[in-house]
Amino acid sequence: MAAQAGRELLLKLENGGSFVAVGGFKSNSFSINDETIEVTNKASGGFREILAGAGIRTVSASGSGVFVDDTIFAEVNQMVLNSVHGTWQVIVPDFGVYEGRFAVTSLDMSGEYNGEVTYDISLDSAGPITFTAE
């Protein structure tokens, strides 16, 4: 994968059958984790052993930005207030798209007297996540 512009890493929420970018992001990131299960025993020869295929995989995404005239953000706010999971896409330019159900685990808002209102959002996978290569 060649170098890509950071602005192309996007978080989109399904709304009415299509995916819409949540506006105002200045930065966002995501991570894939695979929790391991250690099965080291006396016969392991002094080396740690991990049970293949037995861990719990999670995908997390986060971002921060500024409020813009974005009605989709109101939907995100309602998801947090009502503990509703949405279908999201994490788009990695020239690599692929991760898609699945995510829970909004935090939505933080702040504002300076002399500045704009900003937000930080965190998402955790809430079921299977698919990957489609570009």
Side-chain angles (χ1 to χ4, degrees):
M1 181 168 86
Q4 302 296 319
R7 68 178 173 264
E8 300 299 323
L9 179 65
L10 298 174
L11 292 176
K12 292 185 172 186
L13 176 62
E14 184 179 32
N15 183 355
S18 62
F19 286 90
V20 179
V22 177
F25 276 116
K26 287 192 169 193
S27 69
N28 46 11
S29 64
F30 86 104
S31 64
I32 303 170
N33 297 293
D34 188 8
E35 180 182 301
T36 59
I37 297 175
E38 183 179 344
V39 292
T40 308
N41 57 68
K42 290 182 181 183
S44 298
F47 290 93
R48 182 175 78 159
E49 291 187 45
I50 303 294
L51 185 60
I56 297 173
R57 289 178 306 276
T58 59
V59 176
S60 301
S62 63
S64 62
V66 297
F67 282 105
V68 294
D69 185 14
D70 188 3
T71 56
I72 199 72
F73 198 87
E75 186 174 334
V76 173
N77 184 59
Q78 285 302 308
M79 290 172 67
V80 176
L81 293 175
N82 298 321
S83 295
V84 175
H85 302 159
T87 302
W88 290 76
Q89 288 182 334
V90 178
I91 299 171
V92 182
D94 289 343
F95 184 65
V97 177
Y98 296 87
E99 182 178 321
R101 305 286 290 168
F102 284 84
V104 179
T105 57
S106 70
L107 178 61
D108 302 315
M109 299 177 229
S110 61
E112 297 288 328
Y113 174 78
N114 241 15
E116 69 279 2
V117 174
T118 61
Y119 66 88
D120 293 288
I121 188 172
S122 296
L123 310 169
D124 281 336
S125 56
I129 303 298
T130 61
F131 174 74
T132 305
E134 287 189 348

